Amino acid sequence: MVLLLAAAAAARFAFIADQAWFLRHVVVPAYYLPPPRWTLPALRSAAALTSVALLLCARAAFRRATPGGLARVLFAVALSVVASEMVLRAVERPEVKTPHPRLEWQLGARDPRTGWAFVPGRSVLVKEPGSDRLVRYDIDSNGDRAPSVDFVEDPAAPTLLVAGESIATGHGLDWKDTFAAKLAAKLGLQVVNVAEGGYGSDQAFLRVQDALRRLRHPVALVETVLPVQLHRNVQDDRARLVLREGRLELAPASASPLRLRELFVNQLPYLSDARLAASMQLTRRILEETAGAARARGAKVLFVAPSFDPSHAARPLVDALLAGLPHVVIDVDPALLMPWDGHPDERGAALMADAIAAALR
């Protein structure tokens, strides 16, 4: 029965996982850039072959089934789970010790409230993978990316507040080439950039709250919003905001020590219909609260949704998420993305700065 159920599950995936299903449940909410085109056909083919193999195993097992054999199989399955957990623990190592650690871990450290945060006063030269370019990232005393580690924000100055994830941080770009720096120059405002790579909407909101407490004259809040944050917003491997009785509350990270749980709950790039609907509701509420907090301080609000897909597969989800909120969708030609990591290059950042400035005016 176990083999038959597993075969049925694999066959069901092979049958229902068409392009529309794959886009809705995997690509749009869980990937920054779409995976290669062969990914879905390969997955469906593997699922179909797995289903056939399991059916053959079930047939053989039915002919030879004995109580002792069943016990041995169950014991073997239990041992395989234990072995898998042990292997995951054995190969696990801190991200900063991996060959290509993410930028947020080169610049930051664990934070009990936001999951991770830039280390104040840190300055790092980073060589971009697949390129000889060196990019300097300077973090000021507030833990924000800035023109230099010595930058000191003026709390009384008219300020542009930039929030969001790696695009807003200016991943792969020198400070002067980021859309935040270019936009501030166009508007004639001081810029405070609280964005950090890999952030979900809840982490961005917490950093916006911190900045608004310091700034006395915030003029505008510009925050990047990407569909991939729908997956990030429901991960429980860090402290995160959750909806309880219609209110946002900060919940602690999961206390589970199991690496297998982490793999399937937080790292698997998939959202079921129920989890996707819950994330949409949560994310929408977070964005509403973010806008309300900025407006209460007199700031104009603009959510920015960069789009790198000419087919606009994510557009219906983005439109539903941002409906009624001040926002702009900016089409960035894939030719304006850095080939080694898919973030907007200097030309893409300039295009975004122009579009945001026009929308704010």
Side-chain angles (χ1 to χ4, degrees):
M1 287 301 298
V2 171
L3 289 169
L4 288 174
L5 288 172
R12 181 176 182 273
F13 173 81
F15 179 74
I16 69 171
D18 57 12
Q19 188 65 25
W21 184 95
F22 194 58
L23 285 173
R24 175 174 174 78
H25 293 281
V26 178
V27 177
V28 171
Y31 275 90
Y32 171 73
L33 293 175
R37 292 187 177 182
W38 53 261
T39 304
L40 178 58
L43 286 173
R44 297 184 78 178
S45 298
L49 291 173
T50 300
S51 179
V52 172
L54 289 171
L55 286 172
L56 293 175
C57 291
R59 181 182 178 186
F62 179 75
R63 290 178 175 177
R64 303 174 184 176
T66 64
L70 176 61
R72 287 192 297 273
V73 168
L74 292 176
F75 185 60
V77 170
L79 287 178
S80 72
V81 172
V82 174
S84 298
E85 179 72 16
M86 292 175 65
V87 168
L88 289 174
R89 289 171 180 260
V91 301
E92 185 180 53
R93 52 181 168 167
E95 174 124 9
V96 292
K97 295 184 178 181
T98 60
H100 301 292
R102 289 174 294 175
L103 180 63
E104 50 264 35
W105 293 111
Q106 296 180 61
L107 292 168
R110 289 283 180 188
D111 184 89
R113 184 161 166 264
T114 60
W116 59 89
F118 291 152
V119 176
R122 179 169 288 182
S123 180
V124 177
L125 264 177
V126 177
K127 182 180 179 181
E128 295 296 329
S131 168
D132 292 329
R133 291 181 67 248
L134 290 174
V135 178
R136 179 175 294 281
Y137 297 89
D138 290 323
I139 310 303
D140 67 14
S141 60
N142 288 313
D144 303 328
R145 189 176 183 190
S148 72
V149 294
D150 299 322
F151 172 78
V152 178
E153 67 184 43
D154 180 357
T159 301
L160 165 68
L161 181 58
V162 175
E165 39 60 80
S166 56
I167 296 175
T169 303
H171 184 96
L173 297 172
D174 291 320
W175 171 260
K176 63 180 178 59
D177 296 326
T178 65
F179 87 71
K182 292 177 180 291
L183 180 60
K186 288 177 180 293
L187 300 178
L189 298 172
Q190 169 182 252
V191 60
V192 170
N193 189 341
V194 298
E196 295 206 24
Y199 264 11
S201 307
D202 57 339
Q203 294 163 296
F205 177 40
L206 294 173
R207 294 301 306 278
V208 166
Q209 287 181 315
D210 293 342
L212 289 175
R213 293 188 188 101
R214 303 192 309 261
L215 301 171
R216 296 201 291 272
H217 191 188
V219 174
L221 165 66
V222 171
E223 180 176 329
T224 52
V225 177
L226 277 80
V228 70
Q229 291 175 307
L230 291 170
H231 190 269
R232 296 172 184 172
N233 291 344
V234 292
Q235 293 176 323
D236 66 0
D237 55 350
R238 58 171 177 83
R240 77 275 183 211
L241 289 176
V242 297
L243 268 177
R244 288 179 181 157
E245 298 181 354
R247 295 180 299 178
L248 289 175
E249 294 183 9
L250 189 64
S254 169
S256 173
L258 296 177
R259 305 303 189 272
L260 281 171
R261 180 192 181 277
E262 170 65 16
L263 180 65
F264 286 103
V265 172
N266 291 317
Q267 296 183 18
L268 188 68
Y270 164 77
L271 288 182
S272 65
D273 279 321
R275 211 167 177 216
L276 180 59
S279 183
M280 286 285 289
Q281 181 184 21
L282 171 64
T283 304
R284 172 74 186 196
R285 184 58 181 274
I286 291 170
L287 296 179
E288 290 172 344
E289 293 282 343
T290 304
R295 285 170 175 157
R297 298 296 312 282
K300 194 170 184 177
V301 177
L302 185 68
F303 294 111
V304 177
S307 173
F308 314 125
D309 180 11
S311 70
H312 296 107
R315 190 63 183 266
L317 206 62
V318 171
D319 288 343
L321 186 63
L322 296 175
L325 293 171
H327 70 278
V328 59
V329 177
I330 303 175
D331 288 317
V332 181
D333 192 297
L336 303 181
L337 301 180
M338 300 177 199
W340 51 86
D341 65 14
H343 287 80
D345 61 16
E346 181 181 350
R347 299 166 299 163
L351 180 147
M352 290 184 62
D354 289 341
I356 296 169
L360 286 173
R361 293 192 182 107

